Amino acid sequence: MKRNKDEKFLKTEKTPVEPFDPSALIEVQHLTKSFGELKVLDDISEKIFHGEKIAVIGPSGSGKSTFLRCLNVLEDPTDGHVFFEGNNLCNLKVDINVQRRRMGMVFQQFNLFNNMTVLKNITLAPIHVGLLELKKSKRKIFALKLKNLFKSKANKLPVPTLQTSAKKIKQDAEANAMRLLNRIGLADKANVYPSTLSGGQKQRIAIVRALAMNPKVMLFDEPTSALDPEMVGEVLSLIKELADEGMTMVIVTHEMAFAREVATRVLFMDGGKIQEQGTPEQIFGSPTNARLKEFLSKVL
Amino acid sequence: MYTQIAANTFEQIITIFSKPEYSNYLWLGLGTTLYISVCAALLGILLGTLVAMIKIQPDSKVWVAPKFICGIYTTVIRGTPMALQLFIMAFVIFAIRGFPLEITAILAFGINSGAYVSENIRAGILSIDKGQTEAGRALGLSSGYTLFRIIIPQGMKNVIPAIGNELIALIKETSIVSMAGTVFDLTYVAKVMGAPNELATYLAPMLVVAVFYLIIVYALTLVIKLIERRLRKSEKK
């Protein structure tokens, strides 16, 4: 996950890149991930299109979570490429931070920032990114003005005026965060610290935190596995709401009923490979893969 | 007999505070000790933070050499006696006529405590769950921003008691500074005041100075407690 130029990562760059399919939102080419001798992902190629809701199921240790974490390169692939909107995330020249801002991620353990209030948790990234962009445009305007000094009056370059200010960015982010908190009914928790919240509340806030960046795709890494049974419902219903709004999402889950209800496509993974995929009806109704049949007979 | 000694000692303590020839010594000693401790502590914390930051970097080509140097630094400094380090500083590295021994001492103590502080800070940063970093990175924040806004503020809470411990040890350790020459720190002025042609007894000045050290350390513990309580705010609310 640390993007440093160590050899392991550069190996990935050397593998040949196949042409990218422009209709896909995320395209994975020959993705392989090994932890030492253990091959967790074995040559996976897959495309994820706009508006798809993909559920990834499989026994534990099958590489589901690693697959999801490779999608936003939180885990460095050992081999292969991951494309997001045409950008190769495995290329060191691509600014991974900019790309990740368009990919929301929700973790099993919520991972809310414990040292910040709920509101600050949600606004931290939007404000930071907004201020970065403000700085950039300020620099651009300054450069233009500098250039204009050396030009005659007739052919001076037009200098754009700043549309936003640091204060406005902050207010907008906070208003947006409050709107999102209102939506999940937790507006009264805006100024408390995460340690006082229940698991279900934490996870819903973690989802909202990812949403505040207006992501193109949401990645859910077993979002309900660390929750008390009675809190699973509130989180799943929020995810379902998002799905109904047309958000593209990839969900690693053990909730088969939920996968059946929400997913447009189900991937069954085992042994680092996608063993079978199809619509929920196909996967749960008429599975063909022997391993999938065995898995379903145990969990259903 | 013991009542006699107690009465004499009490009288001498009063003399130390009332007679300017003694009290001036005392305040000079207090000032020197505080000056050396505070400067060395600042240097130590600065150095320790820097070394800790380097040590938590990933094992990549860029960081191999700095990490190796920092490893040697902590190993050597923690593996050799403080007094020896002070002597090497005073008699070898800064063996320049007229170079103030206070500065040498500040450097020696600062470099020494930096090694300990760096390990404390590193431990504090490592104590924070990896998920916090991942959450920050997944939101598109840079590794530096994640470290300074999310990890370090949380790690500080765990580090403060250990750093406090280190600072207390540092203050008391400054008492060996006069082994390397004439520096009028608290311990040395006690020795001077008790010399045969002054008070001609060590009991009273040593007692007074001991209380001074105690007060300094106690004040420091109070400050540390205050800081800790402020930092732990987010856990109670």
Side-chain angles (χ1 to χ4, degrees):
Chain A
M1 83 170 261
K2 271 161 187 150
R3 304 271 295 193
N4 282 46
K5 302 200 175 188
D6 45 18
E7 282 172 309
K8 229 186 218 170
F9 199 78
L10 283 173
K11 253 185 222 161
T12 321
E13 284 209 320
K14 282 172 196 154
T15 51
V17 180
E18 286 164 22
F20 162 75
D21 178 3
S23 64
L25 182 63
I26 301 178
E27 182 174 340
V28 176
Q29 293 177 355
H30 304 295
L31 182 66
T32 302
K33 174 73 188 178
S34 320
F35 291 111
E37 290 290 293
L38 185 71
K39 219 171 199 181
V40 182
L41 296 180
D42 191 2
D43 195 17
I44 294 181
S45 295
E46 191 55 59
K47 286 173 193 171
I48 296 163
F49 297 95
H50 286 277
E52 271 196 310
K53 291 108 185 72
I54 293 178
V56 185
I57 59 168
S60 52
S62 60
K64 318 182 286 294
S65 280
T66 313
F67 172 68
L68 192 80
R69 291 160 59 87
C70 277
L71 290 184
N72 67 354
V73 213
L74 218 49
E75 208 76 68
D76 277 346
T78 316
D79 204 350
H81 293 279
V82 180
F83 285 91
F84 174 61
E85 294 186 304
N87 298 301
N88 186 356
L89 300 187
C90 296
N91 188 337
L92 289 177
K93 284 178 195 120
V94 171
D95 187 349
I96 187 68
N97 294 330
V98 173
Q99 301 306 324
R100 279 191 188 138
R101 284 166 201 159
R102 293 270 164 229
M103 310 173 102
M105 183 146 185
V106 176
F107 298 87
Q108 186 179 353
Q109 298 294 342
F110 333 126
N111 294 344
L112 290 180
F113 305 135
N114 298 322
N115 57 330
M116 295 174 189
T117 61
V118 167
L119 187 68
K120 199 86 207 31
N121 258 283
I122 301 172
T123 56
L124 177 76
I127 290 178
H128 178 61
V129 171
L131 291 180
L132 277 183
E133 269 154 25
L134 182 72
K135 220 187 208 171
K136 220 191 246 168
S137 51
K138 266 186 184 166
R139 217 173 283 159
K140 231 179 233 167
I141 288 172
F142 181 73
L144 273 176
K145 278 182 180 166
L146 212 65
K147 267 184 202 164
N148 276 349
L149 281 181
F150 300 101
K151 292 202 167 158
S152 62
K153 238 177 199 169
N155 48 12
K156 273 202 194 300
L157 300 164
V159 178
T161 47
L162 271 180
Q163 297 298 327
T164 57
S165 65
K167 207 176 163 192
K168 192 162 177 292
I169 287 169
K170 225 174 158 184
Q171 282 171 345
D172 286 354
E174 268 163 21
N176 189 32
M178 286 314 292
R179 183 182 62 78
L180 287 165
L181 279 175
N182 267 318
R183 176 185 167 167
I184 57 169
L186 290 176
D188 56 322
K189 302 281 185 193
N191 290 316
V192 304
Y193 285 90
S195 53
T196 59
L197 300 172
S198 74
Q201 290 170 333
K202 280 186 195 172
Q203 192 60 299
R204 283 187 289 155
I205 286 163
I207 294 172
V208 158
R209 176 176 70 176
L211 282 179
M213 297 292 283
N214 295 321
K216 287 265 169 67
V217 56
M218 289 283 282
L219 311 173
F220 293 92
D221 188 3
E222 300 190 24
T224 57
S225 296
L227 293 176
D228 288 344
E230 56 174 340
M231 291 170 179
V232 171
E234 57 188 75
V235 172
L236 289 186
S237 66
L238 175 60
I239 298 175
K240 191 166 181 311
E241 249 176 66
L242 292 176
D244 292 341
E245 284 168 20
M247 174 71 78
T248 312
M249 47 177 74
V250 184
I251 312 166
V252 171
T253 185
H254 288 296
E255 304 278 333
M256 294 305 150
F258 175 73
R260 198 172 197 162
E261 190 186 342
V262 171
T264 56
R265 187 149 61 104
V266 179
L267 307 182
F268 171 70
M269 283 186 74
D270 189 37
K273 279 185 157 66
I274 296 173
Q275 301 284 359
E276 187 170 344
Q277 62 166 295
T279 61
E281 290 76 36
Q282 284 168 347
I283 292 285
F284 295 108
S286 51
T288 55
N289 185 291
R291 188 69 191 83
L292 173 59
K293 276 180 193 165
E294 190 195 335
F295 175 73
L296 287 178
S297 71
K298 276 180 194 158
V299 295
L300 287 182
Chain B
M1 189 190 121
Y2 289 114
T3 49
Q4 187 60 40
I5 292 175
N8 280 347
T9 309
F10 186 69
E11 214 168 88
Q12 281 155 353
I13 288 173
I14 289 172
T15 320
I16 288 173
F17 280 104
S18 56
K19 277 198 179 168
E21 54 194 286
Y22 296 126
S23 65
N24 282 348
Y25 263 141
L26 202 59
W27 302 129
L28 174 70
L30 181 64
T32 314
T33 292
L34 281 181
Y35 168 60
I36 293 176
S37 320
V38 170
C39 292
L42 289 179
L43 178 66
I45 288 171
L46 203 76
L47 208 62
T49 314
L50 189 76
V51 171
M53 290 298 128
I54 292 171
K55 276 195 167 177
I56 56 162
Q57 297 301 325
D59 287 314
S60 63
K61 278 179 198 159
V62 196
W63 290 107
V64 165
K67 281 179 90 171
F68 185 67
I69 294 168
C70 289
I72 289 180
Y73 163 69
T74 39
T75 310
V76 169
I77 295 294
R78 291 196 304 173
T80 53
M82 177 66 242
L84 185 72
Q85 289 166 24
L86 180 69
F87 291 166
I88 290 174
M89 273 292 201
F91 303 144
V92 182
I93 299 173
F94 291 110
I96 309 160
R97 191 185 290 267
F99 192 85
L101 192 57
E102 282 93 343
I103 305 290
T104 315
I106 287 168
L107 288 173
F109 290 119
I111 289 171
N112 180 271
S113 81
Y116 292 92
V117 169
S118 79
E119 285 302 286
N120 290 339
I121 290 182
R122 199 174 66 94
I125 289 171
L126 292 183
S127 71
I128 301 304
D129 179 28
K130 230 182 114 202
Q132 297 281 315
T133 317
E134 285 179 355
R137 297 309 307 275
L139 281 168
L141 305 174
S142 68
S143 56
Y145 191 78
T146 311
L147 185 66
F148 283 101
R149 280 305 299 273
I150 297 159
I151 307 304
I152 290 183
Q154 292 184 54
M156 269 304 137
K157 271 189 297 210
N158 304 341
V159 167
I160 292 295
I163 288 191
N165 234 347
E166 172 52 32
L167 294 186
I168 288 170
L170 172 71
I171 289 170
K172 291 183 296 175
E173 224 158 46
T174 57
S175 61
I176 65 166
V177 65
S178 55
M179 284 166 76
T182 318
V183 176
F184 287 89
D185 78 315
L186 271 180
T187 309
Y188 191 64
V189 295
K191 211 170 138 197
V192 169
M193 280 191 285
N197 39 11
E198 302 285 339
L199 282 173
T201 171
Y202 286 115
L203 183 57
M206 294 293 168
L207 269 178
V208 169
V209 164
V211 170
F212 268 57
Y213 275 115
L214 209 73
I215 290 170
I216 297 174
V217 170
Y218 189 65
L220 182 66
T221 24
L222 287 186
V223 171
I224 289 163
K225 255 187 203 163
L226 206 75
I227 295 173
E228 216 188 319
R229 200 179 303 158
R230 267 193 67 96
L231 288 176
R232 291 214 179 269
K233 197 178 56 177
S234 62
E235 278 171 20
K236 282 180 193 159
K237 219 175 178 183

